[in-house]
Amino acid sequence: MTPQDLIRLALRDAGVQGVGQAPSDEDMSDALAHLNMLLAQWAQRRWLVYHLIDASKVSTGAASYSIGPGGDFDVARPASIASAFCRSLQSTPHVDWPLSIIRAREDWNDIAVKSVGNVPTAVWLDSGYPSGTLYFWPVPASGLYELHVSVKAPLSEITDITADIALPPEYRMAMLYSLGVMLREAYQMPPSPGLVALARSAMETLRAANFQMPTPGMPAILRSRAATRYNIFSDLP
């Protein structure tokens, strides 16, 4: 299915166009703009992205690395990091360990000495635009580590409405009915309960298809307390 086919169906299902009517160029252009805005919103929700991309870079000793098109980590500009790990290049086989994700600048600011160099244990993404910046801490030494981050795969903007939609087949119905809901609002038509229900059902299908839950872990502070908790059998702490 092409975006052109999908837009025609969406205009018809939304009641904007009748059966046998051809949408005008303006209607097609407006609907395409709405569809691209819809995909841009979906791209920021983990459960609407069908897979994660692993991007890597061998450490250079730099305090930061760019991430975005043409950057040190050459991927689409991410708004967040899903996970990260570091690989030691000093041993065979290589050893990997996870990196903690620093979620906010405020937490990064709390680190007293940011320039210290050692084995990295954490990473923070400054999600600038058009490219972001990755800060690993402690600063990894040059050539000793391979730094990996996992980010959401982009749901690329549609520019060619005659090319096949480059997304898994289950996205088509969600795009169709979600766009139909948007178009009714855009054309100042009252909401269609049936269309809304179909869009919701299709979105739940995407959620089920894309859902992945990482294995939950216990925070380090709780693990340390658990190691010294009272033992009712030995009567010892």
Side-chain angles (χ1 to χ4, degrees):
M1 174 180 282
T2 67
Q4 182 174 259
D5 297 331
L6 187 141
I7 289 172
R8 285 173 176 166
L9 282 174
L11 287 166
R12 189 178 304 163
D13 290 347
V16 175
Q17 299 287 335
V19 176
Q21 288 184 320
S24 67
D25 291 343
E26 185 177 3
D27 287 332
M28 290 292 293
S29 177
D30 290 348
L32 178 60
H34 280 88
L35 182 57
N36 279 324
M37 287 188 284
L38 180 68
L39 291 175
Q41 292 291 302
W42 286 7
Q44 302 308 318
R45 303 180 187 179
R46 173 65 185 92
W47 59 275
L48 286 177
V49 175
Y50 57 94
H51 79 127
L52 299 177
I53 293 174
D54 176 72
S56 63
K57 170 76 175 177
V58 175
S59 59
T60 63
S64 64
Y65 300 84
S66 60
I67 181 168
D72 296 318
F73 291 77
D74 190 7
V75 293
R77 175 252 179 198
S80 62
I81 302 172
S83 66
F85 70 92
C86 184
R87 172 170 294 163
S88 172
L89 301 179
Q90 306 170 71
S91 60
T92 303
H94 299 319
V95 177
D96 299 345
W97 61 91
L99 298 178
S100 299
I101 307 297
I102 299 173
R103 299 293 180 185
R105 175 177 283 277
E106 291 84 352
D107 294 328
W108 174 256
N109 290 345
D110 286 341
I111 298 175
V113 183
K114 299 179 177 63
S115 60
V116 64
N118 207 323
V119 179
T121 60
V123 59
W124 171 56
L125 169 65
D126 182 1
S127 53
Y129 183 85
S131 294
T133 306
L134 290 168
Y135 295 86
F136 292 87
W137 186 88
V139 177
S142 176
L144 299 184
Y145 305 104
E146 190 173 79
L147 309 169
H148 290 254
V149 294
S150 294
V151 297
K152 294 185 289 292
L155 301 181
S156 301
E157 181 174 297
I158 295 171
T159 56
D160 185 354
I161 63 172
T162 62
D164 286 339
I165 295 172
L167 288 170
E170 61 269 19
Y171 277 77
R172 296 173 187 173
M173 185 170 287
M175 293 167 66
L176 172 65
Y177 292 127
S178 297
L179 179 59
V181 171
M182 293 180 69
L183 290 176
R184 286 189 67 87
E185 182 67 27
Y187 284 88
Q188 300 182 2
M189 301 171 67
S192 166
L195 198 59
V196 170
L198 287 169
R200 184 179 294 116
S201 175
M203 294 294 281
E204 287 300 321
T205 298
L206 283 188
R207 183 192 296 271
N210 295 333
F211 179 77
Q212 296 181 23
M213 176 177 284
T215 303
M218 183 181 293
I221 188 171
L222 296 182
R223 289 199 302 269
S224 62
R225 289 179 179 177
T228 58
R229 67 181 182 273
Y230 178 76
N231 189 323
I232 62 172
F233 299 105
S234 65
D235 197 33
L236 294 173

